Amino acid sequence: MSTPQYKRTHDCGSLRKTDIDKKINLSGWVNRRRDHGGLIFIDLRDRYGVVQLVFDPKISETLHKEASKLRSEWVVSVSGTVSHRGENLINPKLATGEIEVNVESLNIISVAKTPPFSICDDTIDVHEELRLKHRYLDIRRGSIIHNLEIRHKALHVIRNFLNSHSFLEVSTPILAKSTPEGARDYLVPSRIYPGNFYALPQSPQIFKQLLMVSGVDRYYQVAPCFRDEDLRSDRQPEFTQIDIEASFLGSEDIYSLCETMLTKIFKECLDIDISTPFPRMTHNECMERYGTDKPDLRFQMPLVRLDDIIEASNFDLLKDYLQNNGCVKAICVKNGADFSRREIDEFISFVSPFNLRGLAWMKKTQEGFSSNIVKFFSVDLLQKLEKRMKAENNDLILIAAEKDTIVNQGMDHLRRHIAKKQGLIDKSSYRFLWVTNFPMFSKDETTNELKAEHHPFTQPNHEDIPLLETNPLQVRSLAYDLVVNGYELAGGSQRIHDQDIQEKVFNALKLEPKDIDEKFGFFIEALKYGTPPHLGIAFGLDRLIMLLCKTENIRDVIAFPKTQKASDLMMQAPSEPLKGHLAELKIKSEATEIHWN
Amino acid sequence: MSTPQYKRTHDCGSLRKTDIDKKINLSGWVNRRRDHGGLIFIDLRDRYGVVQLVFDPKISETLHKEASKLRSEWVVSVSGTVSHRGENLINPKLATGEIEVNVESLNIISVAKTPPFSICDDTIDVHEELRLKHRYLDIRRGSIIHNLEIRHKALHVIRNFLNSHSFLEVSTPILAKSTPEGARDYLVPSRIYPGNFYALPQSPQIFKQLLMVSGVDRYYQVAPCFRDEDLRSDRQPEFTQIDIEASFLGSEDIYSLCETMLTKIFKECLDIDISTPFPRMTHNECMERYGTDKPDLRFQMPLVRLDDIIEASNFDLLKDYLQNNGCVKAICVKNGADFSRREIDEFISFVSPFNLRGLAWMKKTQEGFSSNIVKFFSVDLLQKLEKRMKAENNDLILIAAEKDTIVNQGMDHLRRHIAKKQGLIDKSSYRFLWVTNFPMFSKDETTNELKAEHHPFTQPNHEDIPLLETNPLQVRSLAYDLVVNGYELAGGSQRIHDQDIQEKVFNALKLEPKDIDEKFGFFIEALKYGTPPHLGIAFGLDRLIMLLCKTENIRDVIAFPKTQKASDLMMQAPSEPLKGHLAELKIKSEATEIHWN
């Protein structure tokens, strides 16, 4: 078989001054054509870069004529000689900018229709729907391919790191069974057993615990996960977890393993040194101080509790909240005294969707506090307030009163809103935090029933085990989250390996033996055959890559993503099944028409 | 947080003579307990090995008593001191066989129910259904975990190799759309668009070609693939491909890339040097010589065509086949003259399920050929036959006549059957073969219509392109398979990047523009925006691992496999969906009951 004519000696990004006078072959896409002073210049592009081709009519009129036909996105192969550009023509923005290629032969491999948007300039804003419809062109533009390269590199670092620590990469089934993860499963009808369905896994949780029972000792997987939920903008129906589980280790080992792994990822992918160990905070402290379990620590402005100060004041409006089991928390906005009355009103409107029906405020000036609520406080109280809030001249204090959960949610959002407005967020900084001691249970607001906050296999804190029977809502668990810049990056826990404790947890959840058996009977059975103590963690890979790529759009880090309606605009999926397929599955369903345009 | 009591200083496989007198902590499973001369010996096991623990009542009566309670598969942690076993007690079968551990403290971490089959002796034959039901225990037995370790290692080698050759690992969607792979898709109902379905990918074929259009240049993926087919014993409903695609390369590059990759895999995983380059054979030659496109080359015994010799003979029975478009092929079985008449009759029965209604035969002895068909041949013809069959004394010649396809199929099976019977197959040898120039099309035997042998995007051989319009069944394609020891290990092809050729292929397949648009309209559209020449290959990962693990059972190389009825005996999947779930999907289906026991 002969060598194909389009075979390359170099890619479009690699030629340098040291290659001058070399005979080379290149293939790629026409990025731009410029006709200039009788010469034709073609910027030839591939994944690796761009290189300038020159067609000189004095050298070959035929070639020059051929080159004049070239249009953007045509695929061509050329051979030619590398030459110097001349000092004043050097393009410092291009890695190949010191050279050009004098073309001696040209092969047009594929012509191209005019693309629906510009490929060569990916700074031009194109509607995302159009980009998704022609995703193959969107990827070709450059920034998506760059993100895919970062994703590739991060995965390479992760795998090498975990392999070097004796972790075994094991794939677990995708045609699986519903497991108690809380979200809605995607179902797959069985043809052999009509009316029965597989479920796509929401996570490999059950499998990875079974692998520990199997003695695999250390496991990881780059695991595809699926949730059929109404999608927020940073979610996808299929997403990827770096799923890790280990036996006979403690949470300190997991923290340190993850910290070292992230250090390597950030170093290799971004050449950034992150500092370890990461700080830690209990869930309680976190909620108290930031109103959220995933605080953005790139700036301060903590929530400060003022219950006692308000109680001692004459501020009756807020005192009423305290009497109704509410709380009062405030933030101190550095240099916030510059905000106008209109801006402060804007903050008040900002928190109202979170059910905070107002904010009290004071400005600290050289003359002391000013605002129409100062009158409710004695001088002593104001001093106490000033100290507690660490208020300095020109600061603004914003005070909220309501039920804990409402104050926390509203002030968390407000804190981030103001930080953005004040430009306090250093986008090049990564502030990691371990949040520990999550509550074991929470109350379902609609049913008022207890539910597992993480999952029912999470180990409760040893000292809280007696509370399982008396006051389960007070039970803390050995669950931990890794948070960075306001996002949950990973979450995990120590699992229960003691059958008595497992039973107490099921009792607290009011699960009857029948329910347990139906939901995860085989798993409970498995745990009876000698379960090692084990724990694990799962990273949201897409979130990690978003962080590395500095994008807020999850679709920017996935090759072929879906829309918020879980559809693929390029393939036009989902779609009507082939004729007869549903009959084979013994399924009946009326098709609704999807309008793709 | 305090260090958990079960934390190890060593695993159960790593202690050696050099560790004597060290204080160590171990955790693992009780493999066996032996009470012997007042001492209790526990073999402690984990993934890494087995180590002997000693409990001496003279050292601690309490500990000794505690140890007497231990049963198989309990999880325990101990601390103790490593000591020498004494020369005559050394166990050379055990990596840790020179030492033992004198236990100074014992913690029982988990007790265990008696397992349904022996864990410590995995040579005991256990019914596969029982093993699959308790897969977590089956994995713990050792040989499955060993296979998972090989799988892990092979993947590590593959990824490192492809990464070092600039291949980008890209994940493609699992919630995808039906593509023309030929087999039945698994469907996933959409909740947002009722009556519409995603399809799980049978392979990432379309996606990887789109990635080439995207300029990814070199792609790979360890890709989960799904086919809802009636399963043969070496198939699974979900399986894994090492999927590779590249632009601007030729098939020689792909051959050499795969050969180097396999060399590395076999070296790293089995310390075996395989020899490259692999031999090649066209599909035609392969069918002619072995009757199959995946010949086992660990032994010879080729099929030899005898049409002309039979034509010149008086063997009317076989001549009739020739007149009916049939053919005559024979194999020469070395030392086959030793087979009894009964054994030869057994061969004749063996081929009859393949529609071969008989075999003629001759033995070559020192006296010449013997059998009741020798009379049909002249001395000259017998000499010609002897030479062509390379028949020597004590050989047996078996002759079949029928239509090509029937002779090929029957003689292929017979050839392998006899090789097994004669013990010709060297199980430690790996004979690779590239099969090239596959036919572009074949005729569907039921509909009599032309179909794509590989897929409709396969590049036809350049010199055969005119035949697309005149005699498509004669068109060969740039498709190739990699075969080893009688199995297809990988398959791929050069793809069409020229729209005119693509159209000719669609025409040959009698696909109307409407069909094309419905089936893969978006893909054909994508190819119009500047498609580079590209080609690729996909390895069956499970098959590769089976080869490395020397097993014929695909379930031995998958952590949680499914049965031939596509069910998971451990999880009991598929299963009835949760109440209300089908209503949400606007699907109706009557559940059939599955009997799991």
Side-chain angles (χ1 to χ4, degrees), chain B residues 151-162:
Chain B
R151 190 177 177 112
H152 166 94
K153 201 166 186 176
L155 277 175
H156 188 53
V157 174
I158 290 166
R159 286 205 178 89
N160 278 346
F161 174 77
L162 292 171

PDB file of all heavy atoms in Angstrom, chain B residues 151-162:
ATOM      1  N   ARG B 151      -6.685  -6.527  33.768  1.00  0.00           N
ATOM      2  CA  ARG B 151      -7.483  -5.558  33.003  1.00  0.00           C
ATOM      3  C   ARG B 151      -7.011  -4.134  33.302  1.00  0.00           C
ATOM      4  O   ARG B 151      -6.806  -3.326  32.399  1.00  0.00           O
ATOM      5  CB  ARG B 151      -8.953  -5.730  33.379  1.00  0.00           C
ATOM      6  CG  ARG B 151      -9.919  -4.977  32.494  1.00  0.00           C
ATOM      7  CD  ARG B 151     -11.376  -5.263  32.907  1.00  0.00           C
ATOM      8  NE  ARG B 151     -12.262  -4.478  32.081  1.00  0.00           N
ATOM      9  CZ  ARG B 151     -13.101  -4.983  31.174  1.00  0.00           C
ATOM     10  NH1 ARG B 151     -13.208  -6.270  31.004  1.00  0.00           N
ATOM     11  NH2 ARG B 151     -13.846  -4.185  30.427  1.00  0.00           N
ATOM     12  N   HIS B 152      -6.848  -3.868  34.572  1.00  0.00           N
ATOM     13  CA  HIS B 152      -6.351  -2.555  35.018  1.00  0.00           C
ATOM     14  C   HIS B 152      -4.985  -2.254  34.395  1.00  0.00           C
ATOM     15  O   HIS B 152      -4.755  -1.164  33.857  1.00  0.00           O
ATOM     16  CB  HIS B 152      -6.250  -2.586  36.546  1.00  0.00           C
ATOM     17  CG  HIS B 152      -5.467  -1.472  37.155  1.00  0.00           C
ATOM     18  ND1 HIS B 152      -6.059  -0.314  37.598  1.00  0.00           N
ATOM     19  CD2 HIS B 152      -4.146  -1.329  37.389  1.00  0.00           C
ATOM     20  CE1 HIS B 152      -5.132   0.502  38.073  1.00  0.00           C
ATOM     21  NE2 HIS B 152      -3.956  -0.091  37.970  1.00  0.00           N
ATOM     22  N   LYS B 153      -4.122  -3.220  34.455  1.00  0.00           N
ATOM     23  CA  LYS B 153      -2.756  -3.032  33.963  1.00  0.00           C
ATOM     24  C   LYS B 153      -2.752  -2.803  32.449  1.00  0.00           C
ATOM     25  O   LYS B 153      -2.083  -1.911  31.943  1.00  0.00           O
ATOM     26  CB  LYS B 153      -1.940  -4.279  34.303  1.00  0.00           C
ATOM     27  CG  LYS B 153      -0.457  -4.045  34.324  1.00  0.00           C
ATOM     28  CD  LYS B 153       0.249  -5.220  34.996  1.00  0.00           C
ATOM     29  CE  LYS B 153       1.722  -4.946  35.160  1.00  0.00           C
ATOM     30  NZ  LYS B 153       2.388  -6.045  35.898  1.00  0.00           N
ATOM     31  N   ALA B 154      -3.544  -3.610  31.741  1.00  0.00           N
ATOM     32  CA  ALA B 154      -3.604  -3.476  30.282  1.00  0.00           C
ATOM     33  C   ALA B 154      -4.119  -2.088  29.909  1.00  0.00           C
ATOM     34  O   ALA B 154      -3.572  -1.423  29.027  1.00  0.00           O
ATOM     35  CB  ALA B 154      -4.498  -4.561  29.688  1.00  0.00           C
ATOM     36  N   LEU B 155      -5.153  -1.623  30.615  1.00  0.00           N
ATOM     37  CA  LEU B 155      -5.703  -0.302  30.321  1.00  0.00           C
ATOM     38  C   LEU B 155      -4.669   0.788  30.584  1.00  0.00           C
ATOM     39  O   LEU B 155      -4.580   1.769  29.839  1.00  0.00           O
ATOM     40  CB  LEU B 155      -6.953  -0.042  31.171  1.00  0.00           C
ATOM     41  CG  LEU B 155      -8.242  -0.626  30.609  1.00  0.00           C
ATOM     42  CD1 LEU B 155      -9.395  -0.429  31.570  1.00  0.00           C
ATOM     43  CD2 LEU B 155      -8.572   0.019  29.261  1.00  0.00           C
ATOM     44  N   HIS B 156      -3.917   0.592  31.626  1.00  0.00           N
ATOM     45  CA  HIS B 156      -2.880   1.558  31.973  1.00  0.00           C
ATOM     46  C   HIS B 156      -1.839   1.633  30.842  1.00  0.00           C
ATOM     47  O   HIS B 156      -1.450   2.728  30.408  1.00  0.00           O
ATOM     48  CB  HIS B 156      -2.240   1.123  33.294  1.00  0.00           C
ATOM     49  CG  HIS B 156      -1.287   2.118  33.871  1.00  0.00           C
ATOM     50  ND1 HIS B 156      -1.631   3.436  34.081  1.00  0.00           N
ATOM     51  CD2 HIS B 156      -0.012   1.989  34.288  1.00  0.00           C
ATOM     52  CE1 HIS B 156      -0.597   4.074  34.590  1.00  0.00           C
ATOM     53  NE2 HIS B 156       0.401   3.219  34.731  1.00  0.00           N
ATOM     54  N   VAL B 157      -1.428   0.477  30.367  1.00  0.00           N
ATOM     55  CA  VAL B 157      -0.457   0.433  29.266  1.00  0.00           C
ATOM     56  C   VAL B 157      -1.042   1.088  28.012  1.00  0.00           C
ATOM     57  O   VAL B 157      -0.397   1.899  27.352  1.00  0.00           O
ATOM     58  CB  VAL B 157      -0.043  -1.026  28.963  1.00  0.00           C
ATOM     59  CG1 VAL B 157       0.848  -1.089  27.735  1.00  0.00           C
ATOM     60  CG2 VAL B 157       0.648  -1.649  30.169  1.00  0.00           C
ATOM     61  N   ILE B 158      -2.288   0.746  27.705  1.00  0.00           N
ATOM     62  CA  ILE B 158      -2.942   1.272  26.501  1.00  0.00           C
ATOM     63  C   ILE B 158      -3.035   2.796  26.568  1.00  0.00           C
ATOM     64  O   ILE B 158      -2.669   3.497  25.619  1.00  0.00           O
ATOM     65  CB  ILE B 158      -4.363   0.661  26.354  1.00  0.00           C
ATOM     66  CG1 ILE B 158      -4.257  -0.822  25.980  1.00  0.00           C
ATOM     67  CG2 ILE B 158      -5.194   1.432  25.334  1.00  0.00           C
ATOM     68  CD1 ILE B 158      -5.557  -1.595  26.131  1.00  0.00           C
ATOM     69  N   ARG B 159      -3.503   3.302  27.691  1.00  0.00           N
ATOM     70  CA  ARG B 159      -3.672   4.755  27.811  1.00  0.00           C
ATOM     71  C   ARG B 159      -2.332   5.473  27.739  1.00  0.00           C
ATOM     72  O   ARG B 159      -2.199   6.475  27.033  1.00  0.00           O
ATOM     73  CB  ARG B 159      -4.375   5.100  29.126  1.00  0.00           C
ATOM     74  CG  ARG B 159      -5.849   4.782  29.128  1.00  0.00           C
ATOM     75  CD  ARG B 159      -6.567   5.666  30.134  1.00  0.00           C
ATOM     76  NE  ARG B 159      -7.993   5.420  30.125  1.00  0.00           N
ATOM     77  CZ  ARG B 159      -8.602   4.510  30.867  1.00  0.00           C
ATOM     78  NH1 ARG B 159      -7.896   3.748  31.683  1.00  0.00           N
ATOM     79  NH2 ARG B 159      -9.907   4.368  30.810  1.00  0.00           N
ATOM     80  N   ASN B 160      -1.355   4.964  28.459  1.00  0.00           N
ATOM     81  CA  ASN B 160      -0.047   5.617  28.420  1.00  0.00           C
ATOM     82  C   ASN B 160       0.522   5.621  27.013  1.00  0.00           C
ATOM     83  O   ASN B 160       1.103   6.603  26.561  1.00  0.00           O
ATOM     84  CB  ASN B 160       0.933   4.927  29.371  1.00  0.00           C
ATOM     85  CG  ASN B 160       0.733   5.406  30.793  1.00  0.00           C
ATOM     86  OD1 ASN B 160       0.058   6.417  31.030  1.00  0.00           O
ATOM     87  ND2 ASN B 160       1.303   4.690  31.739  1.00  0.00           N
ATOM     88  N   PHE B 161       0.329   4.495  26.321  1.00  0.00           N
ATOM     89  CA  PHE B 161       0.850   4.396  24.964  1.00  0.00           C
ATOM     90  C   PHE B 161       0.159   5.395  24.040  1.00  0.00           C
ATOM     91  O   PHE B 161       0.815   6.162  23.330  1.00  0.00           O
ATOM     92  CB  PHE B 161       0.661   2.966  24.443  1.00  0.00           C
ATOM     93  CG  PHE B 161       1.046   2.811  23.009  1.00  0.00           C
ATOM     94  CD1 PHE B 161       2.384   2.739  22.646  1.00  0.00           C
ATOM     95  CD2 PHE B 161       0.075   2.777  22.012  1.00  0.00           C
ATOM     96  CE1 PHE B 161       2.743   2.620  21.314  1.00  0.00           C
ATOM     97  CE2 PHE B 161       0.423   2.660  20.681  1.00  0.00           C
ATOM     98  CZ  PHE B 161       1.760   2.578  20.331  1.00  0.00           C
ATOM     99  N   LEU B 162      -1.164   5.411  24.076  1.00  0.00           N
ATOM    100  CA  LEU B 162      -1.897   6.305  23.168  1.00  0.00           C
ATOM    101  C   LEU B 162      -1.669   7.773  23.543  1.00  0.00           C
ATOM    102  O   LEU B 162      -1.520   8.625  22.670  1.00  0.00           O
ATOM    103  CB  LEU B 162      -3.381   5.948  23.158  1.00  0.00           C
ATOM    104  CG  LEU B 162      -3.685   4.581  22.506  1.00  0.00           C
ATOM    105  CD1 LEU B 162      -5.137   4.183  22.724  1.00  0.00           C
ATOM    106  CD2 LEU B 162      -3.369   4.609  21.005  1.00  0.00           C
TER     107      LEU B 162
END
